[in-house]
Coordinates of all heavy atoms in Angstrom, one line a residue:
L411 N -0.9 44.5 -68.8 CA 0.4 44.2 -68.4 C 0.9 45.2 -67.4 O 1.7 44.9 -66.4 CB 1.3 44.0 -69.6 CG 1.0 42.8 -70.5 CD1 1.9 42.8 -71.6 CD2 1.2 41.6 -69.6
A412 N 0.5 46.5 -67.6 CA 1.1 47.5 -66.7 C 0.5 47.3 -65.2 O 1.1 47.5 -64.3 CB 0.6 48.8 -67.1
A413 N -0.8 46.8 -65.1 CA -1.4 46.5 -63.9 C -0.9 45.2 -63.2 O -0.6 45.2 -62.1 CB -3.0 46.4 -64.1
D414 N -0.6 44.3 -64.1 CA 0.1 43.0 -63.6 C 1.0 42.4 -64.6 O 0.5 41.8 -65.6 CB -1.2 42.0 -63.3 CG -0.7 40.6 -62.9 OD1 0.4 40.5 -62.7 OD2 -1.6 39.8 -62.8
P415 N 2.3 42.6 -64.5 CA 3.2 42.2 -65.4 C 3.2 40.7 -65.7 O 3.6 40.2 -66.8 CB 4.6 42.5 -64.9 CG 4.2 43.6 -63.9 CD 2.9 43.3 -63.3
S416 N 2.6 39.8 -64.8 CA 2.5 38.4 -65.0 C 1.3 38.0 -65.8 O 1.1 36.8 -66.0 CB 2.6 37.7 -63.6 OG 1.5 38.0 -62.9
A417 N 0.3 39.0 -66.0 CA -0.9 38.6 -66.6 C -0.6 38.1 -68.1 O 0.4 38.5 -68.7 CB -1.8 39.7 -66.6
S418 N -1.6 37.5 -68.7 CA -1.4 37.1 -70.2 C -2.1 38.1 -71.0 O -3.1 38.7 -70.6 CB -1.9 35.7 -70.4 OG -3.1 35.5 -70.0
A419 N -1.4 38.4 -72.2 CA -1.9 39.4 -73.1 C -2.7 38.6 -74.3 O -2.6 37.4 -74.4 CB -0.8 40.1 -73.7
I420 N -3.5 39.5 -75.0 CA -4.2 38.8 -76.1 C -3.3 38.8 -77.3 O -2.8 39.9 -77.8 CB -5.4 39.7 -76.6 CG1 -6.2 40.2 -75.3 CG2 -6.2 39.0 -77.6 CD1 -7.3 41.2 -75.6
P421 N -2.9 37.7 -77.8 CA -2.0 37.6 -78.9 C -2.6 38.2 -80.2 O -3.9 38.1 -80.3 CB -1.7 36.0 -79.2 CG -2.9 35.4 -78.5 CD -3.4 36.3 -77.5
V422 N -1.9 38.8 -81.1 CA -2.4 39.5 -82.2 C -3.0 38.4 -83.2 O -4.1 38.6 -83.8 CB -1.4 40.2 -83.1 CG1 -1.9 40.8 -84.4 CG2 -0.8 41.4 -82.2
A423 N -2.4 37.2 -83.1 CA -3.0 36.1 -83.9 C -4.5 35.7 -83.5 O -5.2 35.0 -84.3 CB -2.1 34.8 -83.9
A424 N -4.9 36.1 -82.4 CA -6.2 35.8 -81.9 C -7.3 36.5 -82.9 O -8.4 35.9 -83.0 CB -6.5 36.5 -80.5
I425 N -6.8 37.5 -83.7 CA -7.6 38.1 -84.7 C -8.1 37.1 -85.7 O -9.1 37.2 -86.4 CB -6.9 39.3 -85.3 CG1 -6.8 40.4 -84.3 CG2 -7.7 39.9 -86.5 CD1 -6.1 41.7 -84.7
G426 N -7.3 36.0 -85.8 CA -7.8 34.8 -86.7 C -9.2 34.4 -86.4 O -9.9 33.8 -87.3
L427 N -9.6 34.5 -85.2 CA -10.9 34.0 -84.8 C -12.0 34.9 -85.5 O -13.1 34.3 -85.9 CB -11.2 34.3 -83.3 CG -10.7 33.3 -82.3 CD1 -10.8 33.8 -80.9 CD2 -11.5 32.1 -82.5
I428 N -11.6 36.2 -85.9 CA -12.8 36.9 -86.4 C -12.5 37.5 -87.9 O -13.3 38.1 -88.5 CB -13.0 38.2 -85.5 CG1 -11.7 39.0 -85.3 CG2 -13.6 37.9 -84.3 CD1 -12.0 40.3 -84.6

Side-chain angles (χ1 to χ4, degrees):
L411 292 175
D414 174 9
S416 64
S418 49
I420 312 167
V422 176
I425 293 179
L427 276 171
I428 55 175

